[in-house]
Amino acid sequence: MTTSPSDPAEAAGLAIVGAGPAGLAAAVTAASLGLPVTLLDAGARPGGQYYRHPDPALGAERPHVLHHDWAAFAGREAELRAHERAGRIRHLPGRQVWSVTGSGTDWTVHSRTEDTAGEPVRARAVLLATGAYERQLPFPGWTLPGVVGAGGAQAMLKGGLVLPGRRVVVAGSGPLLLAVAASLAAAGARVPAVVEAAGYGPYARHTGTLLRNPAKLAEGALYGGALLRHRVRPLLRHAVVEAHGTGRVEAVTVARLDRDWRPVPGTGRRVPCDALAVGHGLVPELSLATALGCATRTAADGTVALVLTPGLRTSVPGIWSAGETGGVGGARLALVEGEIAALSVAGRPVPAGLARRRERLRAFADAMGAAHRPGPGWTGWLREETAVCRCEEVPAGRVREAVEELGATDARTVKLLTRAGMGWCQGRMCGPAVAALAGDGPAPDRRPLACPVRLGQLAELPAD
Amino acid sequence: MSRRTPRALVGGAPQETFTFRFDDREIPAAAGQTVAAALWGAGVLAWRTTRGTGEPRGVFCGIGQCFDCLVTVDGAPNRRACLVPARPGGLVTSQEGTGHDDLAV
């Protein structure tokens, strides 16, 4: 296909998917290096999930109080707006990218808005900054209304200024729990318990790494202080093993876990609540990357992440990636990686200091990830009738039957036998659980379309 | 003691407040809120029943990934309540099953 040089679709040198910390940092860095940038983002406003903030119409005077390091976002957002006005960045909010096609230096990014097909975006290079979503492990009662993702509760609060209830238990594993509990408490919820499945013991093995990351330590201390003010005590090596209620959650059972995350019999106690915010860390969103054939690895936290070079190239020439996709590591690392990726795309050298910061933050993320990696015993809190796949309503018993009686040895075979992972979310919510029940490691995403697309929108694609 | 609320925490006031219809009740909403946020604000946590067991569901992931918060908005089924903005005078209807009863055979 030939296009004239004046074709605006041809003008984009670099297409960036995702305007969270990594994509935003990459966009402003690339634009400042003279690369024409198209920034596509599912959100209405830049910032991604981490810097999610209310619509201006909500008139929040102090959105920053719900955020850590807001200045890092505000500065880059101002740069983004300046580059947009100067025509150096084309920012396309409200676009869900469902496929990237092409090769080498000729790529097409296919996206949709909520109602329409977006025009395809052509680019010489693509940077995938698609972030992550929350890792969920099912338990009896987890489909009750009022049981929400910890990140979900945070997102609804940051974006919509609402709480799921007045008395919210926060549970799961990972550093996000402390941030969520602190935000919910500051916004007026009572947080009767923060329930953390891991011990902090594994942190002790990484003292050096922790000490080399003072900003991260300060962040932890900040949340710790905020929690103390609201009289919230984290309960280590415990889990919510059941949510109770009729029509909505009314209480949870919290039980002690052994070293392998197996619930210790006889330790369960009931905690009344009207909401539960639960999550076990994050999972890199790799649908676009794996559809392109980008190589993956298993990260320290047990999730599948991309294999990346020091210049943040994926294994597919012409495709770069930055932030959580290379292994969950948080916003500060994503900002650094976005900058590195932009320099790399532009063919510029990466300053040694920036590369060192990346290595230091990655080492910290790996230490945290290993500490909060789910132990194999968590499946001990499932019952036969517990829904594992929320979309297709597939109970644990059917998944176990597929494994034990029908011989499935991986999540894909379980899916073909039971429909687990075949629904609207395409296995994002049940994937880690199904893989664990199948006795399989987590498998790379296999989603030819990264989000649902209407048939009419597919039909509008050019024949080639 | 003054009650802590999300609004008290961030200060300010919405540019506009309005209501939309949810089944048989009026839900107050602020400009810039999603349908899901307004429903949470009114204490409503579920607005869909599953097509298998008919269980109630509402927001789970809160970021548009899980599709548990699907709802019918102005007659269009399967909209993600956590993403769709609330609209003055809008009509939000609890969704049963696939939301396509009209196509049932």
Side-chain angles (χ1 to χ4, degrees), chain A residues 57-58 62 149 185 390 392-393, chain B residues 4 7 10 50 52-53 60 68:
Chain A
L58 265 169
R62 302 181 294 274
R390 300 172 67 93
E392 297 297 307
E393 302 172 81
Chain B
R4 283 178 286 115
R7 175 55 76 179
V10 301
T50 59
T53 55
F60 183 63
D68 241 355

Side-chain angles (χ1 to χ4, degrees), chain A residues 126-451:
Chain A
V126 175
L127 170 64
L128 301 174
T130 46
Y133 53 90
E134 205 159 20
R135 173 159 58 188
Q136 294 296 346
L137 302 179
F139 52 90
W142 77 307
T143 55
L144 276 174
V147 177
V148 301
Q154 180 86 319
M156 291 286 286
L157 174 57
K158 283 177 172 179
L161 306 180
V162 287
L163 297 168
R166 305 284 294 274
R167 194 177 156 87
V168 188
V169 171
V170 177
S173 193
L176 178 69
L177 299 185
L178 298 178
V180 170
S183 306
L184 294 175
R190 284 201 54 203
V191 180
V194 177
V195 186
E196 163 63 60
Y200 287 166
Y203 284 24
R205 289 199 288 278
H206 299 283
T207 316
T209 303
L210 295 173
L211 289 177
R212 279 189 292 278
N213 284 274
K216 281 282 181 189
L217 280 182
E219 193 178 334
L222 190 78
Y223 292 133
L227 291 177
L228 280 180
R229 269 202 307 286
H230 299 294
R231 284 182 256 169
V232 177
R233 289 170 298 118
L235 197 57
L236 304 180
R237 286 217 174 282
H238 281 71
V240 166
V241 295
E242 182 164 9
H244 312 273
T246 309
R248 70 172 291 168
V249 61
E250 290 156 15
V252 295
T253 295
V254 175
R256 195 148 59 78
L257 301 182
D258 72 12
R259 196 160 285 282
D260 289 331
W261 290 34
R262 208 174 316 280
V264 179
T267 61
R269 64 186 173 86
R270 217 172 154 102
V271 179
C273 61
D274 60 4
L276 167 66
V278 62
H280 287 91
L282 304 178
V283 181
E285 170 53 62
L286 303 184
S287 305
L288 294 171
T290 51
L292 283 163
C294 297
T296 60
R297 65 189 180 93
T298 301
D301 59 7
T303 64
V304 176
L306 293 180
V307 173
L308 299 172
T309 68
L312 299 179
R313 289 173 176 271
T314 69
S315 64
V316 175
I319 305 288
W320 279 256
S321 190
E324 309 290 42
T325 45
V328 170
R332 193 172 284 109
L333 174 60
L335 290 167
V336 169
E337 289 201 344
E339 213 173 310
I340 291 174
L343 289 161
S344 173
V345 171
R348 304 293 181 92
V350 175
L354 202 58
R356 272 200 305 276
R357 275 191 75 194
R358 172 177 182 243
E359 280 166 28
R360 203 174 64 223
L361 289 163
R362 272 268 164 239
F364 181 85
D366 284 352
M368 297 279 275
H372 293 282
R373 181 178 183 146
W378 73 266
T379 54
W381 67 56
L382 292 174
R383 285 204 289 262
E384 292 298 286
E385 69 275 15
T386 308
V388 169
C389 169
R390 300 172 67 93
C391 301
E392 297 297 307
E393 302 172 81
V394 182
R398 291 242 320 275
V399 174
R400 283 187 168 132
E401 179 191 49
V403 173
E404 288 158 16
E405 289 170 34
L406 303 176
T409 54
D410 58 51
R412 186 171 163 74
T413 310
V414 170
K415 171 171 149 180
L416 294 173
L417 290 168
T418 68
R419 296 192 62 82
M422 219 176 257
W424 275 99
C425 87
Q426 287 289 289
R428 287 180 175 89
M429 298 302 118
C430 69
V434 173
L437 287 170
D440 187 21
D445 302 327
R446 286 165 63 141
R447 302 185 188 107
L449 305 180
C451 67

